Amino acid sequence: MKLLVIGSGGREHALAWCLAKTPGLQKVFVAPGNAGTAAERGLENVDITDLDALADFAEEEKVSLTIVGPEAPLAAGIVNLFRTRGLKIFGPSKEAAQLESSKDFAKRFMTRHGIPTARFASFSERASAHAYVDQQGAPIVIKTDGLAAGKGVVVAMTVDEAHAALDRMLPAEGPRAPKGSRPGQVVIEEFLEGEEASFIVMVDGKDVLPLASSQDHKRIGDGDTGPNTGGMGAYSPALVVTPEVHAKAMREIILPTVRGMAAEGMPYTGFLYAGLMIGKDGSVKTVEFNCRLGDPEAQPILMRLKSDLFTLLDHAVAGKLDQVEASWDRRVALGVVLAAANYPSTPRTGDVISGLPKASEDSEDSHVFHAGTSERDGQTVTAGGRVLCVTALGDNVKQTQKRAYNLIIGIHFDGMQYRHDIGHRAMPR
Ligand code: AMP
Ligand code: GLY
């Protein structure tokens, strides 16, 4: 049996690494993969990104199942294409992926189905957007409508910041519109207070299998300071996802979403990620939907998965998710992202990485997942913003944190930056 994982980040390395444990497996192809997936036993990189070419490849190689990591191919309709060609694939259709690819779609959908989320208004015209900000005041949140790799959101603490964000995101009207500006759309949202958690489930169109909870660290700097990133580290389980929060998230967010999408003729299949804001009053609101596993959440989550991932995926694609359960390692998993110089604005690439553990040094309770890495003249070099995710398992957050940070000591590349406090919200204060 052969499998295909699409993508090149840390999430895809973790997916492929996890799938390589499948009994009876011949190979996991990763398209296009990174230097980590190239070196891993049981994995093989294939340098294809074009959707039609990926479908041709899956057909020729008789791939049993394709799993899509990132949002871009999903939003471009890779699942629709594979299904039309009779190829098995796990992910949402282009229509269902709008839950992530359009904030406006997601917000209107949530309103139609009574799913708790921040109050919002959508604008494509500058003057009315500015007027709305003046009327609402700060703090307030401004989001670009389309996919923006975690960088299209400004949490404005002052009205001035909000106005500046609108000027950047919406084109000026009239003849003085800056060259190259495109008509855009923004969603302006009420600022939600509370603690965030990532709640990720598998969906087969009607049934839901929740994965272990996790918490991401979105800001670049220690103590949650500085600009937003794709995620600087994550751990699982997230303490804030108590059994009550879990039940509420399922009852008020996930199940109505799955039922609502089916009722609207866009049955949801694939991983569904609800970013939760958990208020002090116990309220649970949806900050965003993603139509995929989180990155870096997938790395700690999949390190804790004890069930066979392929069995779960195979049942999901067959519409039989109600017949399986997932079991989880009781330990804590925690991953620290090592990012390139200048991340998140314009990450520098081409820096040589030294001190990576060899495959022979592989340990049961840690793994270095690659993201933005590639091979050059026999050396591993940086090739993206988030370069590595050093992930460890341990009996508690403190021990796991220590284990992950000890592993980092040996790893080096010029300009390497990372947070020193991954897991801080789960530590005794
Ligand atoms: P998003 O891409 O929608 O997940 O937004 C990125 C980050 O911005 C989230 O993880 C939150 O930390 C923050 N954020 C987004 N929307 C809100 C909101 N309505 N209130 C407070 N913070 C928000
Ligand atoms: N880590 C956040 C995300 O994957 O969107």
Side-chain angles (χ1 to χ4, degrees):
M1 179 174 68
K2 299 175 196 169
L3 303 172
L4 170 61
V5 172
I6 293 177
S8 63
R11 164 186 48 213
E12 291 76 29
H13 187 178
L15 273 168
W17 166 84
C18 201
L19 286 166
K21 297 186 257 183
T22 313
L25 180 92
Q26 229 176 315
K27 200 176 283 179
V28 184
F29 295 111
V30 190
N34 55 39
T37 55
E40 196 89 54
R41 197 173 333 129
L43 313 190
E44 183 180 323
N45 284 357
V46 283
D47 193 16
I48 311 177
T49 48
D50 175 75
L51 303 193
D52 288 300
L54 284 166
D56 292 342
F57 177 82
E59 203 169 271
E60 279 155 26
E61 288 289 341
K62 300 194 167 50
V63 165
S64 304
L65 175 63
T66 298
I67 300 99
V68 190
E71 60 279 17
L74 295 165
I78 191 171
V79 170
N80 308 55
L81 173 70
F82 270 55
R83 283 185 185 150
T84 309
R85 296 184 53 168
L87 298 163
K88 274 196 201 176
I89 186 161
F90 186 62
S93 67
K94 181 180 179 159
E95 295 72 29
Q98 289 179 93
L99 279 179
E100 174 169 4
S101 65
S102 169
K103 303 255 187 218
D104 182 55
F105 174 92
K107 297 298 284 190
R108 290 179 198 273
F109 173 84
M110 285 189 266
T111 307
R112 282 199 293 283
H113 295 278
I115 295 163
T117 188
R119 254 185 304 112
F120 81 106
S122 293
F123 299 91
S124 53
E125 202 245 318
R126 259 194 193 183
S128 41
H130 283 301
Y132 182 76
V133 163
D134 284 331
Q135 180 210 330
Q136 295 289 314
I140 193 156
V141 182
I142 318 279
K143 304 185 173 184
T144 46
D145 181 55
L147 294 180
K151 294 169 205 152
V153 174
V154 173
V155 179
M157 298 316 285
T158 64
V159 171
D160 287 346
E161 272 179 77
H163 286 307
L166 286 175
D167 284 340
R168 266 199 315 279
M169 291 180 190
L170 284 175
E173 280 91 26
R176 277 184 295 151
K179 230 177 150 185
S181 69
R182 298 176 279 130
Q185 176 134 26
V186 297
V187 167
I188 305 183
E189 273 184 23
E190 161 199 13
F191 174 78
L192 296 175
E193 263 179 288
E195 190 167 346
E196 285 183 77
S198 307
F199 195 83
I200 309 176
V201 301
M202 291 172 71
V203 188
D204 68 2
K206 54 184 196 316
D207 308 304
V208 176
L209 180 75
L211 302 184
S213 64
S214 58
Q215 194 168 46
D216 186 12
H217 300 59
K218 299 216 170 157
R219 305 294 189 112
I220 186 87
D222 287 358
D224 299 317
T225 53
N228 262 323
T229 69
M232 292 298 290
Y235 64 95
S236 170
L239 284 185
V240 331
V241 184
T242 58
E244 292 74 31
V245 169
H246 179 104
K248 244 186 187 168
M250 285 296 283
R251 191 175 61 235
E252 296 178 9
I253 299 172
I254 301 293
L255 296 176
T257 300
V258 172
R259 279 191 218 112
M261 291 299 282
E264 295 192 16
M266 298 172 268
Y268 194 95
T269 50
F271 293 106
L272 177 64
Y273 168 142
L276 306 181
M277 188 69 84
I278 301 155
K280 280 210 175 78
D281 58 353
S283 65
V284 180
K285 291 189 177 161
T286 321
V287 177
E288 61 162 347
F289 282 122
N290 293 316
C291 58
R292 49 174 176 78
L293 276 173
D295 188 341
E297 291 95 323
Q299 292 85 317
I301 290 176
L302 292 173
M303 270 204 82
R304 291 187 58 223
L305 181 64
K306 285 171 78 178
S307 315
D308 176 53
L309 177 60
F310 174 73
T311 304
L312 303 182
L313 291 165
D314 194 42
H315 278 74
V317 171
K320 294 179 179 166
L321 215 39
D322 56 332
Q323 297 176 13
V324 280
E325 269 175 46
S327 68
W328 301 97
D329 195 316
R330 293 172 62 88
R331 289 174 294 173
V332 173
L334 181 145
V336 182
V337 168
L338 307 185
N342 296 333
Y343 180 72
S345 58
T346 45
R348 189 172 75 206
T349 58
D351 288 306
V352 175
I353 307 168
S354 61
L356 287 168
K358 307 216 169 19
S360 55
E361 296 165 6
D362 223 5
S363 119
E364 185 272 329
D365 54 20
S366 67
H367 203 81
V368 177
F369 294 108
H370 286 228
T373 65
S374 65
E375 288 292 323
R376 191 186 65 199
D377 306 330
Q379 288 181 309
T380 307
V381 299
T382 63
R386 291 183 292 171
V387 177
L388 301 163
C389 182
V390 178
T391 312
L393 277 166
D395 291 329
N396 53 54
V397 177
K398 200 166 174 190
Q399 186 199 60
T400 316
Q401 207 181 40
K402 203 163 170 195
R403 200 167 268 166
Y405 282 104
N406 275 339
L407 276 164
I408 292 174
I409 294 171
I411 302 175
H412 174 80
F413 52 89
D414 282 345
M416 177 168 114
Q417 35 169 352
Y418 62 89
R419 280 182 60 161
H420 302 79
D421 62 351
I422 301 304
H424 73 100
R425 286 181 190 277
M427 303 283 271
R429 264 170 264 184

